[in-house]
Amino acid sequence: MNIQAKLMEKFLKKFDGTSFCVMFETGEEIHIGTLPPKFKVLVHEPVAYKKLLQSTSLALGEAYMDGDLEIEGDIVEALDEIFKFQNQFKTNRRALKKLLYTSTSKNNQKKEVCSHYNLGNDFYKLWLDPTLSYSCAYFENGDETLEEAQYKKIDHILKKLCLKEGMSLLDIGCGWGFLLIQAAKKYKIHGVGITLSEEQHHAFSKRIKEEGLEEYLKVELMDYRELITSGMQFDRVVSVGMLEHVGRDNYELFFKNVDAVLKEKGIFLLHYISGYGEYPGDAWIKKYIFPGGVIPSLREIISLSADFKYYVQDVESLRRHYVKTLLCWHKAFEEHLPEIGQMFEERFIRMWRMYLCACAASFNNGVIDLHQIQFVKGVNNELPMTRKYQYEK
């Protein structure tokens, strides 16, 4: 065993709270932990010890992408086991400063967001469900298909918005527009969706015409920072899976813009991935998947909302729903590898597989959570006094 392999072995022994085998390219095999192994890691090329200390997730993630590491067995189960001991992961924030703390300027954030969502509508259509919903679904009974669960997620959100015919609704980070389409069909609201992605804007515009909803809906290529000067006013505002792209320095600015367009007594429904603490984010995810992405904590968002006199009506965790959602996406992704392979190289495929599986494991372990918060701007005594309305058929 060469020096790099020995150093890698030394590092991996920090994870002795679990149990797995590691086989090096020489055929030498080591056992981490004392119980029977739950999975096996095949090391074709040892990861440099220095890289493991600088960022464990970046070092191991890149090694998997490059084919230097393989996981024999279920990759989600393996990552799920490893993530139970994330306290052993290392991140040198000083060395990774430029990666972890990117600019929150308007131009840079547009570039970062589009790097993910402009991969192509054809790519996302392969493994998302027909609604093209790229956010946590809602498995009310647990046995729904992904498409059924996405319909139920949208229905759940629309109920929390307490919509009535003729109301106006803004969707910040509207994606491919399914939420607004359903809102217009079911409640006959007038909606506006804003997005930074040209691909999403094009697809949503097309869907509006196909559904014959031009009278009710429109989509704009717009940054949330432009809302404050837009002159628009809405009865309701919703944002699903967008706050993660705002950046910690801009949370107050985000609320200012929401506040500028939401009418008094209006409801703001915020759906976002949350963390227990105020961390800068994972180095591998920020480098390869969501550049600039930061996960807000629940406490900082609720604390900030109080500064704007927003009342917290309801908070719901959908963490376990996101585990099921990601497992569905992963399954569909693997089923469409022939088509994806014609679009992207093998390194991209391995990267995307790691992303979907690592996120599923992270939610399962509570490393991250998913919260829906129902805010009311000021006092509104006309809303239902109980949550019963959220679950009525």
Side-chain angles (χ1 to χ4, degrees):
M1 187 181 294
N2 61 37
I3 184 65
Q4 289 296 345
K6 287 181 179 179
L7 289 172
M8 186 176 177
E9 176 186 3
K10 174 185 175 183
F11 184 85
L12 291 175
K13 283 184 175 179
K14 296 175 181 289
F15 295 88
D16 62 357
T18 182
S19 186
F20 59 97
C21 285
V22 181
M23 179 178 285
F24 290 92
E25 77 281 8
T26 59
E28 295 175 86
E29 190 169 320
I30 61 172
H31 188 135
I32 307 297
T34 57
L35 299 174
K38 298 183 178 181
F39 58 92
K40 179 182 282 189
V41 178
L42 305 178
V43 181
H44 303 304
E45 185 68 37
V47 181
Y49 188 65
K50 182 179 179 181
K51 289 184 177 181
L52 289 167
L53 292 180
Q54 185 173 86
S55 171
T56 304
S57 68
L58 192 57
L60 296 178
E62 288 182 336
Y64 180 80
M65 288 166 58
D66 294 333
D68 294 339
L69 292 183
E70 295 286 353
I71 296 177
E72 194 175 89
D74 189 308
I75 186 172
V76 176
E77 291 181 2
L79 291 170
D80 186 51
E81 194 64 29
I82 286 291
F83 287 172
K84 292 176 182 177
F85 306 94
Q86 271 217 334
N87 60 321
Q88 299 297 340
F89 278 52
K90 304 296 181 184
T91 301
N92 186 331
R93 294 188 185 183
R94 179 175 295 181
L96 298 171
K97 184 178 180 180
K98 290 184 178 180
L99 177 62
L100 295 176
Y101 304 97
T102 56
S103 169
T104 56
S105 70
K106 186 176 177 179
N107 288 339
N108 189 59
Q109 287 194 318
K110 177 178 173 62
K111 178 183 176 182
E112 290 176 338
V113 169
C114 290
S115 71
H116 186 91
Y117 295 101
N118 280 358
L119 287 173
N121 294 331
D122 290 340
F123 169 62
Y124 287 105
K125 285 178 181 177
L126 287 174
W127 52 274
L128 294 178
D129 71 285
T131 71
L132 283 181
S133 296
Y134 190 24
S135 58
C136 177
Y138 184 68
F139 294 87
E140 184 179 15
N141 301 316
D143 58 356
E144 294 92 345
T145 65
L146 178 59
E147 183 178 3
E148 289 170 342
Q150 290 292 8
Y151 269 95
K152 288 186 176 183
K153 183 271 295 296
I154 295 302
D155 190 49
H156 194 51
I157 289 175
L158 296 182
K159 285 179 180 178
K160 289 184 178 183
L161 287 168
C162 300
L163 294 170
K164 295 179 181 179
E165 184 175 342
M167 279 187 171
S168 54
L169 171 62
L170 170 68
D171 187 350
I172 304 175
C174 61
W176 288 275
F178 182 61
L179 186 151
L180 283 174
I181 288 172
Q182 288 300 104
K185 285 182 175 180
K186 190 168 184 177
Y187 297 96
K188 291 184 171 55
I189 55 87
H190 294 277
V192 176
I194 65 171
T195 178
L196 292 176
S197 168
E198 289 86 357
E199 289 281 328
Q200 291 180 341
H201 179 269
H202 174 74
F204 189 11
S205 298
K206 184 179 178 182
R207 292 175 91 176
I208 291 172
K209 292 180 181 178
E210 290 173 347
E211 297 282 355
L213 294 172
E214 296 98 322
E215 178 186 349
Y216 294 97
L217 302 177
K218 65 177 180 178
V219 56
E220 304 282 358
L221 272 173
M222 180 187 290
D223 190 285
Y224 73 90
R225 280 166 275 216
E226 298 173 48
L227 290 171
I228 202 166
T229 57
S230 68
M232 295 188 290
Q233 288 283 287
F234 297 91
D235 298 296
R236 304 288 190 259
V237 175
V238 64
S239 183
V240 178
M242 181 271 180
L243 186 63
E244 301 90 321
H245 300 289
V246 168
R248 183 152 283 116
D249 292 341
N250 285 347
Y251 294 156
E252 184 176 357
L253 180 60
F254 177 78
F255 261 89
K256 281 182 178 179
N257 277 269
V258 170
D259 192 57
V261 296
L262 182 60
K263 296 177 183 178
E264 196 68 25
K265 298 185 179 182
I267 294 176
F268 172 36
L269 193 286
L270 182 61
H271 170 121
Y272 73 102
I273 298 172
S274 61
Y276 273 103
E278 295 73 46
Y279 308 115
D282 178 79
W284 184 81
I285 287 285
K286 297 190 84 159
K287 182 174 181 178
Y288 291 103
I289 307 299
F290 291 114
V294 178
I295 296 175
S297 70
L298 181 62
R299 63 187 173 194
E300 67 183 322
I301 297 305
I302 289 182
S303 176
L304 180 60
S305 70
D307 295 338
F308 290 85
K309 293 185 172 58
Y310 276 50
Y311 287 78
V312 178
Q313 291 287 109
D314 185 69
V315 179
E316 182 176 12
S317 169
L318 299 180
R319 177 181 62 82
R320 294 170 65 191
H321 295 259
Y322 221 157
V323 177
K324 288 181 69 69
T325 304
L326 283 154
L327 292 177
C328 289
W329 288 344
H330 176 228
K331 182 175 182 292
F333 181 85
E334 297 294 337
E335 288 172 349
H336 288 90
L337 284 183
E339 301 98 312
I340 296 172
Q342 294 178 1
M343 299 177 180
F344 302 99
E345 61 182 6
E346 179 65 18
R347 192 171 190 262
F348 176 92
I349 292 172
R350 293 175 69 87
M351 175 185 76
W352 213 259
R353 179 185 295 127
M354 176 60 69
Y355 155 55
L356 295 174
C357 294
C359 285
S362 294
F363 279 106
N364 196 57
N365 271 289
V367 175
I368 48 180
D369 207 325
L370 189 288
H371 280 100
Q372 284 185 357
I373 310 176
Q374 182 193 50
F375 296 108
V376 177
K377 180 176 179 178
V379 175
N380 187 336
N381 293 329
E382 300 169 7
L383 298 176
M385 291 182 67
T386 72
R387 297 176 180 176
K388 184 180 178 181
Y389 70 97
Q390 296 182 15
Y391 304 100
E392 291 176 340
K393 300 297 183 183

PDB file of all heavy atoms in Angstrom, residues 99-100 102 109 112 243-248 251 279-282 285-287 289-296:
ATOM      1  N   LEU A  99     -14.866  29.938  -3.161  1.00  0.00           N
ATOM      2  CA  LEU A  99     -15.904  28.998  -3.557  1.00  0.00           C
ATOM      3  C   LEU A  99     -17.134  29.103  -2.660  1.00  0.00           C
ATOM      4  O   LEU A  99     -18.273  29.098  -3.129  1.00  0.00           O
ATOM      5  CB  LEU A  99     -15.361  27.564  -3.515  1.00  0.00           C
ATOM      6  CG  LEU A  99     -16.349  26.432  -3.828  1.00  0.00           C
ATOM      7  CD1 LEU A  99     -16.882  26.567  -5.245  1.00  0.00           C
ATOM      8  CD2 LEU A  99     -15.675  25.077  -3.638  1.00  0.00           C
ATOM      9  N   LEU A 100     -16.897  29.226  -1.364  1.00  0.00           N
ATOM     10  CA  LEU A 100     -17.994  29.232  -0.403  1.00  0.00           C
ATOM     11  C   LEU A 100     -18.706  30.567  -0.309  1.00  0.00           C
ATOM     12  O   LEU A 100     -19.899  30.622  -0.009  1.00  0.00           O
ATOM     13  CB  LEU A 100     -17.474  28.832   0.986  1.00  0.00           C
ATOM     14  CG  LEU A 100     -16.942  27.411   1.132  1.00  0.00           C
ATOM     15  CD1 LEU A 100     -16.369  27.200   2.532  1.00  0.00           C
ATOM     16  CD2 LEU A 100     -18.023  26.384   0.850  1.00  0.00           C
ATOM     17  N   THR A 102     -19.385  33.438  -2.617  1.00  0.00           N
ATOM     18  CA  THR A 102     -19.371  34.097  -3.924  1.00  0.00           C
ATOM     19  C   THR A 102     -20.178  35.397  -3.875  1.00  0.00           C
ATOM     20  O   THR A 102     -20.937  35.649  -2.942  1.00  0.00           O
ATOM     21  CB  THR A 102     -19.963  33.173  -5.001  1.00  0.00           C
ATOM     22  OG1 THR A 102     -21.285  32.784  -4.611  1.00  0.00           O
ATOM     23  CG2 THR A 102     -19.104  31.941  -5.172  1.00  0.00           C
ATOM     24  N   GLN A 109     -25.433  36.366  -9.607  1.00  0.00           N
ATOM     25  CA  GLN A 109     -26.456  35.412  -9.203  1.00  0.00           C
ATOM     26  C   GLN A 109     -27.261  34.907 -10.393  1.00  0.00           C
ATOM     27  O   GLN A 109     -27.657  33.744 -10.430  1.00  0.00           O
ATOM     28  CB  GLN A 109     -27.359  36.025  -8.134  1.00  0.00           C
ATOM     29  CG  GLN A 109     -26.647  36.139  -6.780  1.00  0.00           C
ATOM     30  CD  GLN A 109     -27.605  36.409  -5.639  1.00  0.00           C
ATOM     31  OE1 GLN A 109     -28.515  37.205  -5.761  1.00  0.00           O
ATOM     32  NE2 GLN A 109     -27.378  35.741  -4.524  1.00  0.00           N
ATOM     33  N   GLU A 112     -25.111  32.262 -11.902  1.00  0.00           N
ATOM     34  CA  GLU A 112     -25.079  31.050 -11.091  1.00  0.00           C
ATOM     35  C   GLU A 112     -26.376  30.254 -11.222  1.00  0.00           C
ATOM     36  O   GLU A 112     -26.352  29.036 -11.380  1.00  0.00           O
ATOM     37  CB  GLU A 112     -24.826  31.417  -9.627  1.00  0.00           C
ATOM     38  CG  GLU A 112     -23.412  31.915  -9.364  1.00  0.00           C
ATOM     39  CD  GLU A 112     -23.215  32.366  -7.929  1.00  0.00           C
ATOM     40  OE1 GLU A 112     -24.208  32.689  -7.247  1.00  0.00           O
ATOM     41  OE2 GLU A 112     -22.052  32.408  -7.479  1.00  0.00           O
ATOM     42  N   LEU A 243     -35.409  30.614  -2.452  1.00  0.00           N
ATOM     43  CA  LEU A 243     -34.680  31.335  -1.406  1.00  0.00           C
ATOM     44  C   LEU A 243     -33.253  30.821  -1.262  1.00  0.00           C
ATOM     45  O   LEU A 243     -32.351  31.575  -0.879  1.00  0.00           O
ATOM     46  CB  LEU A 243     -35.417  31.207  -0.075  1.00  0.00           C
ATOM     47  CG  LEU A 243     -34.871  32.028   1.099  1.00  0.00           C
ATOM     48  CD1 LEU A 243     -34.971  33.519   0.806  1.00  0.00           C
ATOM     49  CD2 LEU A 243     -35.606  31.692   2.393  1.00  0.00           C
ATOM     50  N   GLU A 244     -33.025  29.563  -1.599  1.00  0.00           N
ATOM     51  CA  GLU A 244     -31.690  28.964  -1.492  1.00  0.00           C
ATOM     52  C   GLU A 244     -30.674  29.648  -2.419  1.00  0.00           C
ATOM     53  O   GLU A 244     -29.462  29.500  -2.231  1.00  0.00           O
ATOM     54  CB  GLU A 244     -31.747  27.470  -1.842  1.00  0.00           C
ATOM     55  CG  GLU A 244     -32.673  26.670  -0.950  1.00  0.00           C
ATOM     56  CD  GLU A 244     -34.101  26.581  -1.453  1.00  0.00           C
ATOM     57  OE1 GLU A 244     -34.612  27.595  -1.982  1.00  0.00           O
ATOM     58  OE2 GLU A 244     -34.716  25.513  -1.325  1.00  0.00           O
ATOM     59  N   HIS A 245     -31.165  30.387  -3.410  1.00  0.00           N
ATOM     60  CA  HIS A 245     -30.278  31.068  -4.361  1.00  0.00           C
ATOM     61  C   HIS A 245     -30.030  32.536  -3.999  1.00  0.00           C
ATOM     62  O   HIS A 245     -29.256  33.208  -4.670  1.00  0.00           O
ATOM     63  CB  HIS A 245     -30.874  31.005  -5.769  1.00  0.00           C
ATOM     64  CG  HIS A 245     -31.071  29.618  -6.284  1.00  0.00           C
ATOM     65  ND1 HIS A 245     -30.031  28.797  -6.648  1.00  0.00           N
ATOM     66  CD2 HIS A 245     -32.206  28.888  -6.472  1.00  0.00           C
ATOM     67  CE1 HIS A 245     -30.503  27.639  -7.065  1.00  0.00           C
ATOM     68  NE2 HIS A 245     -31.820  27.666  -6.963  1.00  0.00           N
ATOM     69  N   VAL A 246     -30.688  33.028  -2.960  1.00  0.00           N
ATOM     70  CA  VAL A 246     -30.629  34.453  -2.634  1.00  0.00           C
ATOM     71  C   VAL A 246     -29.310  34.848  -1.987  1.00  0.00           C
ATOM     72  O   VAL A 246     -28.748  35.907  -2.272  1.00  0.00           O
ATOM     73  CB  VAL A 246     -31.829  34.833  -1.731  1.00  0.00           C
ATOM     74  CG1 VAL A 246     -31.646  36.214  -1.131  1.00  0.00           C
ATOM     75  CG2 VAL A 246     -33.123  34.761  -2.532  1.00  0.00           C
ATOM     76  N   GLY A 247     -28.801  34.006  -1.083  1.00  0.00           N
ATOM     77  CA  GLY A 247     -27.569  34.342  -0.370  1.00  0.00           C
ATOM     78  C   GLY A 247     -27.860  35.033   0.952  1.00  0.00           C
ATOM     79  O   GLY A 247     -28.747  35.890   1.038  1.00  0.00           O
ATOM     80  N   ARG A 248     -27.112  34.662   1.974  1.00  0.00           N
ATOM     81  CA  ARG A 248     -27.380  35.153   3.335  1.00  0.00           C
ATOM     82  C   ARG A 248     -27.363  36.679   3.423  1.00  0.00           C
ATOM     83  O   ARG A 248     -28.149  37.263   4.168  1.00  0.00           O
ATOM     84  CB  ARG A 248     -26.356  34.518   4.283  1.00  0.00           C
ATOM     85  CG  ARG A 248     -26.533  34.853   5.751  1.00  0.00           C
ATOM     86  CD  ARG A 248     -26.014  33.764   6.663  1.00  0.00           C
ATOM     87  NE  ARG A 248     -26.941  32.631   6.720  1.00  0.00           N
ATOM     88  CZ  ARG A 248     -26.642  31.409   6.293  1.00  0.00           C
ATOM     89  NH1 ARG A 248     -25.462  31.148   5.776  1.00  0.00           N
ATOM     90  NH2 ARG A 248     -27.526  30.437   6.383  1.00  0.00           N
ATOM     91  N   TYR A 251     -31.036  38.240   2.361  1.00  0.00           N
ATOM     92  CA  TYR A 251     -32.343  37.820   2.878  1.00  0.00           C
ATOM     93  C   TYR A 251     -33.226  39.021   3.200  1.00  0.00           C
ATOM     94  O   TYR A 251     -34.427  39.029   2.915  1.00  0.00           O
ATOM     95  CB  TYR A 251     -32.189  36.938   4.121  1.00  0.00           C
ATOM     96  CG  TYR A 251     -31.536  35.608   3.862  1.00  0.00           C
ATOM     97  CD1 TYR A 251     -30.879  34.926   4.883  1.00  0.00           C
ATOM     98  CD2 TYR A 251     -31.567  35.021   2.598  1.00  0.00           C
ATOM     99  CE1 TYR A 251     -30.263  33.702   4.646  1.00  0.00           C
ATOM    100  CE2 TYR A 251     -30.958  33.809   2.349  1.00  0.00           C
ATOM    101  CZ  TYR A 251     -30.309  33.148   3.387  1.00  0.00           C
ATOM    102  OH  TYR A 251     -29.706  31.948   3.154  1.00  0.00           O
ATOM    103  N   TYR A 279     -24.827  28.073   7.994  1.00  0.00           N
ATOM    104  CA  TYR A 279     -23.586  27.579   7.424  1.00  0.00           C
ATOM    105  C   TYR A 279     -23.393  28.101   5.996  1.00  0.00           C
ATOM    106  O   TYR A 279     -24.364  28.417   5.310  1.00  0.00           O
ATOM    107  CB  TYR A 279     -23.582  26.048   7.418  1.00  0.00           C
ATOM    108  CG  TYR A 279     -23.902  25.445   8.768  1.00  0.00           C
ATOM    109  CD1 TYR A 279     -25.058  24.700   8.964  1.00  0.00           C
ATOM    110  CD2 TYR A 279     -23.060  25.649   9.860  1.00  0.00           C
ATOM    111  CE1 TYR A 279     -25.368  24.163  10.200  1.00  0.00           C
ATOM    112  CE2 TYR A 279     -23.355  25.110  11.103  1.00  0.00           C
ATOM    113  CZ  TYR A 279     -24.511  24.370  11.269  1.00  0.00           C
ATOM    114  OH  TYR A 279     -24.820  23.848  12.502  1.00  0.00           O
ATOM    115  N   PRO A 280     -22.146  28.182   5.534  1.00  0.00           N
ATOM    116  CA  PRO A 280     -21.902  28.709   4.188  1.00  0.00           C
ATOM    117  C   PRO A 280     -22.283  27.748   3.068  1.00  0.00           C
ATOM    118  O   PRO A 280     -22.388  28.149   1.919  1.00  0.00           O
ATOM    119  CB  PRO A 280     -20.392  28.981   4.183  1.00  0.00           C
ATOM    120  CG  PRO A 280     -19.840  28.020   5.184  1.00  0.00           C
ATOM    121  CD  PRO A 280     -20.882  27.929   6.261  1.00  0.00           C
ATOM    122  N   GLY A 281     -22.459  26.466   3.389  1.00  0.00           N
ATOM    123  CA  GLY A 281     -22.840  25.505   2.362  1.00  0.00           C
ATOM    124  C   GLY A 281     -21.750  24.479   2.101  1.00  0.00           C
ATOM    125  O   GLY A 281     -20.625  24.589   2.589  1.00  0.00           O
ATOM    126  N   ASP A 282     -22.103  23.476   1.328  1.00  0.00           N
ATOM    127  CA  ASP A 282     -21.182  22.383   1.012  1.00  0.00           C
ATOM    128  C   ASP A 282     -20.337  22.734  -0.206  1.00  0.00           C
ATOM    129  O   ASP A 282     -20.858  23.185  -1.231  1.00  0.00           O
ATOM    130  CB  ASP A 282     -21.983  21.108   0.748  1.00  0.00           C
ATOM    131  CG  ASP A 282     -21.096  19.946   0.371  1.00  0.00           C
ATOM    132  OD1 ASP A 282     -20.487  19.338   1.277  1.00  0.00           O
ATOM    133  OD2 ASP A 282     -20.988  19.657  -0.836  1.00  0.00           O
ATOM    134  N   ILE A 285     -21.253  20.757  -3.586  1.00  0.00           N
ATOM    135  CA  ILE A 285     -22.522  21.223  -4.140  1.00  0.00           C
ATOM    136  C   ILE A 285     -22.355  22.604  -4.769  1.00  0.00           C
ATOM    137  O   ILE A 285     -22.863  22.887  -5.858  1.00  0.00           O
ATOM    138  CB  ILE A 285     -23.613  21.277  -3.039  1.00  0.00           C
ATOM    139  CG1 ILE A 285     -24.069  19.865  -2.663  1.00  0.00           C
ATOM    140  CG2 ILE A 285     -24.799  22.132  -3.474  1.00  0.00           C
ATOM    141  CD1 ILE A 285     -24.957  19.201  -3.682  1.00  0.00           C
ATOM    142  N   LYS A 286     -21.604  23.478  -4.103  1.00  0.00           N
ATOM    143  CA  LYS A 286     -21.451  24.851  -4.599  1.00  0.00           C
ATOM    144  C   LYS A 286     -20.570  24.915  -5.842  1.00  0.00           C
ATOM    145  O   LYS A 286     -20.748  25.785  -6.692  1.00  0.00           O
ATOM    146  CB  LYS A 286     -20.887  25.752  -3.499  1.00  0.00           C
ATOM    147  CG  LYS A 286     -21.808  25.863  -2.290  1.00  0.00           C
ATOM    148  CD  LYS A 286     -21.374  26.936  -1.314  1.00  0.00           C
ATOM    149  CE  LYS A 286     -21.891  28.283  -1.739  1.00  0.00           C
ATOM    150  NZ  LYS A 286     -21.938  29.253  -0.640  1.00  0.00           N
ATOM    151  N   LYS A 287     -19.640  23.996  -5.950  1.00  0.00           N
ATOM    152  CA  LYS A 287     -18.757  24.005  -7.122  1.00  0.00           C
ATOM    153  C   LYS A 287     -19.430  23.403  -8.351  1.00  0.00           C
ATOM    154  O   LYS A 287     -19.259  23.908  -9.472  1.00  0.00           O
ATOM    155  CB  LYS A 287     -17.464  23.244  -6.819  1.00  0.00           C
ATOM    156  CG  LYS A 287     -16.464  23.260  -7.973  1.00  0.00           C
ATOM    157  CD  LYS A 287     -15.133  22.623  -7.578  1.00  0.00           C
ATOM    158  CE  LYS A 287     -14.138  22.682  -8.736  1.00  0.00           C
ATOM    159  NZ  LYS A 287     -12.813  22.108  -8.368  1.00  0.00           N
ATOM    160  N   ILE A 289     -23.013  21.913  -8.513  1.00  0.00           N
ATOM    161  CA  ILE A 289     -24.465  21.805  -8.681  1.00  0.00           C
ATOM    162  C   ILE A 289     -25.157  23.163  -8.568  1.00  0.00           C
ATOM    163  O   ILE A 289     -25.833  23.609  -9.495  1.00  0.00           O
ATOM    164  CB  ILE A 289     -25.065  20.821  -7.645  1.00  0.00           C
ATOM    165  CG1 ILE A 289     -24.338  19.476  -7.712  1.00  0.00           C
ATOM    166  CG2 ILE A 289     -26.569  20.663  -7.897  1.00  0.00           C
ATOM    167  CD1 ILE A 289     -24.442  18.765  -9.038  1.00  0.00           C
ATOM    168  N   PHE A 290     -25.038  23.808  -7.431  1.00  0.00           N
ATOM    169  CA  PHE A 290     -25.684  25.095  -7.203  1.00  0.00           C
ATOM    170  C   PHE A 290     -24.648  26.141  -6.805  1.00  0.00           C
ATOM    171  O   PHE A 290     -24.462  26.420  -5.616  1.00  0.00           O
ATOM    172  CB  PHE A 290     -26.749  24.986  -6.102  1.00  0.00           C
ATOM    173  CG  PHE A 290     -27.957  24.187  -6.480  1.00  0.00           C
ATOM    174  CD1 PHE A 290     -28.233  22.993  -5.840  1.00  0.00           C
ATOM    175  CD2 PHE A 290     -28.820  24.635  -7.467  1.00  0.00           C
ATOM    176  CE1 PHE A 290     -29.360  22.249  -6.178  1.00  0.00           C
ATOM    177  CE2 PHE A 290     -29.946  23.903  -7.820  1.00  0.00           C
ATOM    178  CZ  PHE A 290     -30.210  22.705  -7.172  1.00  0.00           C
ATOM    179  N   PRO A 291     -23.951  26.730  -7.760  1.00  0.00           N
ATOM    180  CA  PRO A 291     -22.985  27.781  -7.428  1.00  0.00           C
ATOM    181  C   PRO A 291     -23.665  28.905  -6.652  1.00  0.00           C
ATOM    182  O   PRO A 291     -24.734  29.383  -7.030  1.00  0.00           O
ATOM    183  CB  PRO A 291     -22.517  28.276  -8.806  1.00  0.00           C
ATOM    184  CG  PRO A 291     -22.776  27.143  -9.735  1.00  0.00           C
ATOM    185  CD  PRO A 291     -24.024  26.481  -9.214  1.00  0.00           C
ATOM    186  N   GLY A 292     -23.062  29.288  -5.536  1.00  0.00           N
ATOM    187  CA  GLY A 292     -23.619  30.376  -4.745  1.00  0.00           C
ATOM    188  C   GLY A 292     -24.775  29.990  -3.845  1.00  0.00           C
ATOM    189  O   GLY A 292     -25.279  30.812  -3.082  1.00  0.00           O
ATOM    190  N   GLY A 293     -25.222  28.737  -3.923  1.00  0.00           N
ATOM    191  CA  GLY A 293     -26.369  28.312  -3.135  1.00  0.00           C
ATOM    192  C   GLY A 293     -26.071  28.294  -1.635  1.00  0.00           C
ATOM    193  O   GLY A 293     -25.017  27.846  -1.215  1.00  0.00           O
ATOM    194  N   VAL A 294     -27.005  28.816  -0.856  1.00  0.00           N
ATOM    195  CA  VAL A 294     -26.878  28.825   0.605  1.00  0.00           C
ATOM    196  C   VAL A 294     -28.214  28.377   1.196  1.00  0.00           C
ATOM    197  O   VAL A 294     -29.273  28.824   0.748  1.00  0.00           O
ATOM    198  CB  VAL A 294     -26.522  30.229   1.145  1.00  0.00           C
ATOM    199  CG1 VAL A 294     -26.447  30.209   2.673  1.00  0.00           C
ATOM    200  CG2 VAL A 294     -25.207  30.717   0.565  1.00  0.00           C
ATOM    201  N   ILE A 295     -28.157  27.525   2.199  1.00  0.00           N
ATOM    202  CA  ILE A 295     -29.383  27.031   2.835  1.00  0.00           C
ATOM    203  C   ILE A 295     -29.667  27.861   4.084  1.00  0.00           C
ATOM    204  O   ILE A 295     -28.889  27.842   5.037  1.00  0.00           O
ATOM    205  CB  ILE A 295     -29.244  25.545   3.190  1.00  0.00           C
ATOM    206  CG1 ILE A 295     -29.078  24.713   1.918  1.00  0.00           C
ATOM    207  CG2 ILE A 295     -30.461  25.065   3.981  1.00  0.00           C
ATOM    208  CD1 ILE A 295     -28.809  23.254   2.171  1.00  0.00           C
ATOM    209  N   PRO A 296     -30.773  28.592   4.105  1.00  0.00           N
ATOM    210  CA  PRO A 296     -31.105  29.409   5.282  1.00  0.00           C
ATOM    211  C   PRO A 296     -31.560  28.523   6.444  1.00  0.00           C
ATOM    212  O   PRO A 296     -32.131  27.445   6.236  1.00  0.00           O
ATOM    213  CB  PRO A 296     -32.267  30.277   4.792  1.00  0.00           C
ATOM    214  CG  PRO A 296     -32.340  30.072   3.309  1.00  0.00           C
ATOM    215  CD  PRO A 296     -31.774  28.730   3.046  1.00  0.00           C
TER     216      PRO A 296
END
